[in-house]
Amino acid sequence: MNYKTQMEAARKGIVTKELSRVAKDEGFTEQELLALVASGRIVIPANIRHKSLHPYGIGEGLRTKVNVNLGISGDCADYHAEMEKVRLAEKFGAESIMDLSNYGKTREFRKKLIEISLAMIGTVPIYDAIGYLEKDLKEITAQDFLRVIRSHAEEGVDFMTIHAGINRRVMEIFLRERRQMNIVSRGGSLIFAWMKMTGNENPFYEYYDELLDILREHDVTVSLGDALRPGSIADSTDASQIAELTEIGNLTERAWKQDVQVLVEGPGHMAMDEIAANMKIEKRICHGAPFYVLGPLVTDIAPGYDHITSAIGGAIAAANGADFLCYVTPAEHLRLPDLSDVKEGIIASKIAAHAADIAKGVKNARMADFQISEARRKLEWEDIFKLSLDGEKAKEYYESIPPEDRHSCSMCGKMCAVRTMNRILDGLDTKLR
């Protein structure tokens, strides 16, 4: 193999098996996809050691992908429950799973996840650093952080969130400007705290070239984390967010020079009227790199319903250029999500992604809608259930109050408009009694 990464292969005109699969799945020619991967506008996260992976492309012109967060925490170290979430995520079509484990047997859990999962696997190595190294945050060195990154890469992680953009220049802007919610990124807060306690530069920024060498060796995509993503709509599009994004734009180009693929992470909480502009700003400053957004959550008043506030923002974001949505569950801001929360979060994000794909004209995005509408016109209920995003729920609702006439539902009964039109157009009388 005379290439290290998918980007390097594309730049050499080599069609990898991963690129070939993505082209087939997305309806692109291999040559079209080669050009987009070579330029960085599409990434195919595919660690050479993730043998079970179904490769996916993220970026310009492709279907909007959805990521599911899960993992072990100190307050809920139930490995079986987290694996159930993995199976649920794959059942409902999540293309990516981020393991955010920060407690207990994180390495064993991660290795098992990579062994069995078809989805792309992402991590945030700084979450794992304290437990992995068995040191207090202040005692961890820059080389310690790099050691954890190498460990994740060697285990087969496809992409890693690295908060490299919050350097001393950006920190000065944050401290000067202040904001309502300060830093709400867990990784960002840890890096900020480490910098303040040690007086050192962000290790991921200072040793960025060494970090890229590790990622390139294993073809790990760097997901440039937004440490200063807004945690309330009052903080969105402020000087801190934009300052960090500017640094991330430079880091993107530096990664591309080493043939390392790049995702750029984005907000956060953001009012609806700011979302479209933010998508365009990111694409401009970060040179067309794929954009990975958490939400955005369009209001701060709905704890318990943030899968809805996120889906609204995610649909607007993806319709205006975002390529990758991180799901948000009803448990956001409140607790670790359970299975029910995970399902609600995935479904909400998948709806947002699909609606956006229709809006931006992704190839064949409307086909599923046409097929289910055909089944609805014919009142073919079993076909409707098969074609539904969550057919089990649709069938459960339909059968919970069974209609007298199977050619309708219990909402309208024999007054069903579809039934009436089918009968009249077939030359039959409509009978309401």
Side-chain angles (χ1 to χ4, degrees):
M1 183 172 69
N2 59 347
Y3 62 87
K4 283 285 188 181
T5 71
Q6 295 289 328
M7 174 174 264
E8 183 184 4
R11 287 172 168 175
K12 292 179 175 180
I14 299 170
V15 177
T16 66
K17 66 180 186 298
E18 292 84 9
L19 185 142
S20 181
R21 180 61 183 268
V22 171
K24 181 179 179 181
D25 288 349
E26 299 278 356
F28 275 59
T29 68
E30 292 174 350
Q31 292 305 310
E32 287 173 329
L33 207 57
L34 274 174
L36 290 164
V37 173
S39 69
R41 287 176 290 165
I42 284 177
V43 300
I44 304 174
N47 189 311
I48 57 174
R49 299 194 180 193
H50 188 177
K51 303 301 183 183
S52 63
L53 175 71
H54 176 124
Y56 291 101
I58 304 168
E60 186 176 309
L62 305 186
R63 289 183 298 104
T64 306
K65 305 306 187 296
V66 170
N67 173 70
V68 167
N69 289 341
L70 46 80
I72 309 303
S73 75
D75 290 317
C76 191
D78 187 335
Y79 299 91
H80 176 74
E82 295 309 297
M83 279 301 175
E84 285 295 305
K85 293 175 188 177
V86 171
R87 285 185 274 272
L88 190 68
E90 294 189 342
K91 174 182 176 180
F92 285 102
E95 293 88 1
S96 168
I97 295 171
M98 287 201 78
D99 174 21
L100 307 186
S101 296
N102 58 38
Y103 178 84
K105 299 177 182 178
T106 58
R107 187 176 186 186
E108 287 85 346
F109 178 77
R110 187 166 53 251
K111 289 175 73 173
K112 184 65 175 178
L113 182 60
I114 292 165
E115 178 186 335
I116 68 170
S117 182
L118 300 176
M120 300 175 284
I121 303 300
T123 59
V124 188
I126 193 171
Y127 291 0
D128 192 35
I130 295 171
Y132 181 94
L133 298 166
E134 298 183 340
K135 291 182 178 181
D136 288 333
L137 180 62
K138 186 178 180 179
E139 304 305 318
I140 298 175
T141 67
Q143 290 305 311
D144 285 335
F145 283 125
L146 292 176
R147 184 152 59 92
V148 177
I149 288 170
R150 179 173 291 280
S151 174
H152 283 216
E154 289 175 349
E155 288 164 12
V157 169
D158 300 300
F159 67 100
M160 293 184 204
T161 293
I162 305 293
H163 299 89
I166 181 171
N167 56 23
R168 283 175 171 163
R169 288 189 296 272
V170 173
M171 182 190 283
E172 288 174 7
I173 292 170
F174 166 76
L175 291 170
R176 182 184 71 225
E177 299 294 327
R178 307 300 298 183
R179 44 170 35 182
Q180 181 183 43
M181 287 298 295
N182 295 314
I183 297 176
V184 299
S185 159
R186 193 192 319 176
S189 69
L190 292 172
I191 285 293
F192 181 86
W194 186 89
M195 292 169 70
K196 289 288 285 182
M197 288 190 295
T198 64
N200 294 329
E201 178 60 280
N202 180 343
F204 300 131
Y205 180 80
E206 185 174 5
Y207 296 95
Y208 189 62
D209 289 332
E210 193 172 335
L211 183 154
L212 292 176
D213 288 341
I214 296 170
L215 302 185
R216 184 177 188 275
E217 182 182 348
H218 300 88
D219 197 2
V220 178
T221 298
V222 62
S223 189
L224 292 169
D226 53 335
L228 295 174
R229 68 170 181 265
S232 69
I233 60 173
D235 294 336
S236 63
T237 324
D238 67 354
S240 297
Q241 181 194 336
I242 300 303
E244 183 184 31
L245 186 64
T246 301
E247 296 293 340
I248 288 173
N250 175 258
L251 294 171
T252 297
E253 288 193 305
R254 287 174 60 185
W256 284 347
K257 287 179 181 177
Q258 300 301 319
D259 296 321
V260 174
Q261 300 183 104
V262 177
L263 289 165
V264 174
E265 297 186 14
H269 292 234
M270 182 166 288
M272 289 170 61
D273 61 318
E274 296 181 47
I275 295 173
N278 266 263
M279 302 306 107
K280 291 177 173 58
I281 289 169
E282 183 278 339
K283 289 288 185 175
R284 180 63 179 268
I285 291 177
C286 298
H287 319 291
F291 202 17
Y292 174 27
V293 296
L294 177 66
L297 281 69
V298 296
T299 179
D300 303 329
I301 66 167
Y305 297 91
D306 278 330
H307 60 309
I308 297 173
T309 62
S310 169
I312 293 168
I316 297 169
N320 285 281
D323 308 287
F324 195 17
L325 302 182
C326 185
Y327 92 148
V328 172
T329 78
E332 185 78 5
H333 305 114
L334 301 172
R335 63 170 169 81
L336 191 74
D338 62 18
L339 272 175
S340 176
D341 297 324
V342 169
K343 179 181 176 181
E344 292 295 316
I346 296 169
I347 294 294
S349 293
K350 292 293 285 187
I351 292 169
H354 181 67
D357 289 347
I358 292 170
K360 60 187 176 184
V362 170
K363 291 180 181 180
N364 300 317
R366 290 175 177 263
M367 182 60 68
D369 298 80
F370 179 82
Q371 290 172 338
I372 197 168
S373 295
E374 282 288 289
R376 290 178 66 200
R377 178 175 59 80
K378 297 173 183 177
L379 293 170
E380 296 287 355
W381 293 104
E382 289 303 321
D383 288 343
I384 291 170
F385 304 146
K386 289 177 184 176
L387 293 165
S388 297
L389 189 57
D390 184 0
E392 293 174 5
K393 183 173 184 177
K395 187 171 185 176
E396 178 185 336
Y397 269 58
Y398 177 77
E399 293 182 345
S400 64
I401 307 177
E404 179 183 348
D405 184 342
R406 293 286 294 184
H407 290 87
S408 64
C409 76
S410 57
M411 170 68 80
C412 301
K414 290 184 178 180
M415 292 182 67
C416 172
V418 177
R419 177 183 182 275
T420 296
M421 291 305 299
N422 286 346
R423 290 184 66 85
I424 292 297
L425 293 175
D426 285 343
L428 302 173
D429 290 343
T430 183
K431 296 180 180 180
L432 302 181
R433 294 186 180 179

